[in-house]
Amino acid sequence: MNAPATLEQDEAFARIRLLRSPNIGPISYAQLLRRFGNAQAALEALPNLASRGGRDYRPAPRERIEQEVAAVRSAGARYLFHDMPGYPELLGRIEGAPPILTVRGDSQVAARPCVAMVGARNASAAAIKLARDFAHALAGEGFAVVSGLARGIDGAAHEGALPATIGVIASGIDIAYPPQHADLQERIASEGLLIAEQPPGTEPRGSHFPSRNRIIAGRALGTLVVEAAPKSGSLITARLAGEAGREVMAIPGSPLDARSHGCNQLIREGAVLVQAPEDVIELLSGFDGTPRSSLREAQPHAFGGDDELLADEPADIADLLTTAPVGVDELVRQSGTSTGAVQMALLELEIAGRLVRHAGGRVSLDGNR
């Protein structure tokens, strides 16, 4: 789909309504736009598609979207659609890229090459100073620092990089979280750039944070982990960066401090060890899409994927699906039909609320339905 210079108001409204409708995620949203050409036609098709998937269906009410649009304006924010100028090209390449973002702040910050910085919430004083110093140095060399506004390393990275910083939050654009970072969040929205995927008024939930992490990783050329425990959101962000074919870097720490174990583990698994901002600058200044880190084999995905156009007739795959995740490519092989026919069948099941999509292009039946 070619990027339009502008978007008609009715189509923009329909896109928001489409994405906010039940059981519509980034992948199904993209498939629907490709299949029907625009969001208005896709909305009209939803009840029929869900019926073929075995359920009744109602799209998101117009009134709710009208209230959302008013709330975005009231917050001083604006919508950024996946195919509009200003949408981050790197972010659009990842699997399940967010089709619509709400943003506040200076769009010129987004034009800078970006490096993500993440780490522990209960970070040590030394690590917080290190994060602040690294971020300040990177901003001085023309980078924008992306992070998630959490306590500890995130907050220090934002403070060190201001105004050249991008905050990605797990709540709506009008909700400050954590509350103690309310002033910092407002400052980022005023001087840097603030990004939210959730509708305004949405309080952060546990399921929102992995989604936020994928934006942080997808927005940047590389992700630097300053201090982190082995099981933490920071390591999830680093692995997402590796899967997207971006550089993954970590600052080593003492084996006596559990907060360093995650970074040391990443380095052992293939992340690049860095000890100074110059190391990061060297890695990312000439980044050509081939990371030096070997944390995980790159699996780049463009917005909406590279699947062929959805077929008019869905494949018969009911007997091939269970609650155990399976790859879509495996369904294509076993069904003996086209990718488009399989994707159409999956889309109908998803809109009906009977399908769950997993990372790596895998799907399963929803065991709760």
Side-chain angles (χ1 to χ4, degrees):
M1 183 181 300
N2 294 327
T6 59
L7 194 62
E8 293 292 335
Q9 184 172 341
D10 288 347
E11 176 62 12
F13 185 91
R15 287 187 177 191
I16 301 166
R17 188 181 176 202
L18 177 62
L19 187 61
R20 304 301 186 227
S21 291
N23 308 323
I24 301 297
I27 293 175
S28 53
Y29 172 97
Q31 290 176 335
L32 288 164
L33 283 190
R34 284 204 310 276
R35 176 66 175 83
F36 296 100
N38 60 67
Q40 297 175 75
L43 279 168
E44 293 176 1
L46 286 178
N48 181 53
L49 292 172
S51 176
R52 287 162 57 170
R55 299 282 165 79
D56 293 331
Y57 191 91
R58 289 185 181 180
R62 290 186 59 89
E63 297 77 13
R64 197 176 88 201
I65 307 308
E66 290 169 352
Q67 293 169 359
E68 176 183 329
V69 171
V72 168
R73 290 174 179 163
S74 179
R78 59 191 182 276
Y79 287 103
L80 185 60
F81 296 87
H82 76 275
D83 56 354
M84 295 295 289
Y87 188 95
E89 180 185 356
L90 283 174
L91 182 59
R93 296 179 188 174
I94 69 170
E95 180 183 18
I100 303 173
L101 298 169
T102 52
V103 300
R104 282 185 63 195
D106 184 1
S107 59
Q108 293 302 311
V109 175
R112 289 181 172 221
C114 295
V115 55
M117 288 184 61
V118 295
R121 287 175 169 81
N122 63 333
S124 64
I128 287 176
K129 182 180 186 304
L130 196 63
R132 188 180 295 115
D133 291 347
F134 262 71
H136 182 76
L138 291 167
E141 291 295 324
F143 287 90
V145 174
V146 187
S147 198
L149 265 160
R151 298 186 301 273
I153 298 301
D154 287 20
H158 287 306
E159 291 170 351
L162 272 166
T165 191
I166 300 173
V168 185
I169 54 178
S171 60
I173 198 75
D174 55 346
I175 303 293
Y177 186 85
Q180 54 265 53
H181 274 176
D183 290 343
L184 176 60
Q185 181 168 314
E186 182 60 31
R187 192 176 172 196
I188 291 171
S190 301
E191 302 175 29
L193 187 68
L194 185 68
I195 296 176
E197 182 179 13
Q198 302 300 325
T202 304
E203 295 287 345
R205 298 200 302 263
S207 61
H208 296 164
F209 288 94
S211 297
R212 178 205 64 175
N213 293 346
R214 92 187 192 288
I215 297 175
I216 294 171
R219 186 68 186 77
L221 294 166
T223 293
L224 171 63
V225 185
V226 179
E227 187 177 72
K231 294 182 179 180
S232 65
S234 301
L235 265 64
I236 293 173
T237 305
R239 298 187 196 289
L240 289 170
E243 290 173 5
R246 314 296 164 78
E247 200 66 83
V248 180
M249 303 158 284
I251 297 175
S254 169
L256 300 178
D257 190 340
R259 291 171 294 192
S260 295
H261 290 179
C263 289
N264 295 343
Q265 175 181 321
L266 283 175
I267 293 168
R268 188 169 62 249
E269 293 175 356
V272 178
L273 185 156
V274 300
Q275 300 182 89
E278 291 75 19
D279 298 336
V280 179
I281 295 166
E282 178 189 355
L283 284 166
L284 299 185
S285 292
F287 187 74
D288 61 359
T290 305
R292 193 178 305 176
S293 57
S294 58
L295 189 66
R296 188 165 176 182
E297 184 178 352
Q299 298 176 338
H301 294 263
F303 176 85
D306 299 321
D307 301 318
E308 62 188 69
L309 195 66
L310 297 172
D312 291 330
E313 292 298 325
D316 184 6
I317 58 172
D319 292 339
L320 299 178
L321 287 168
T322 68
T323 54
V326 62
V328 174
D329 55 349
E330 184 63 27
L331 292 174
V332 173
R333 280 193 292 270
Q334 293 195 30
S335 67
T337 55
S338 69
T339 301
V342 170
Q343 291 287 12
M344 175 56 88
L346 295 175
L347 180 63
E348 292 174 357
L349 290 170
E350 183 177 12
I351 294 172
R354 298 173 57 195
L355 187 84
V356 177
R357 292 191 185 271
H358 305 269
R362 298 176 303 144
V363 295
S364 71
L365 292 178
D366 188 344
N368 298 318
R369 299 295 181 110

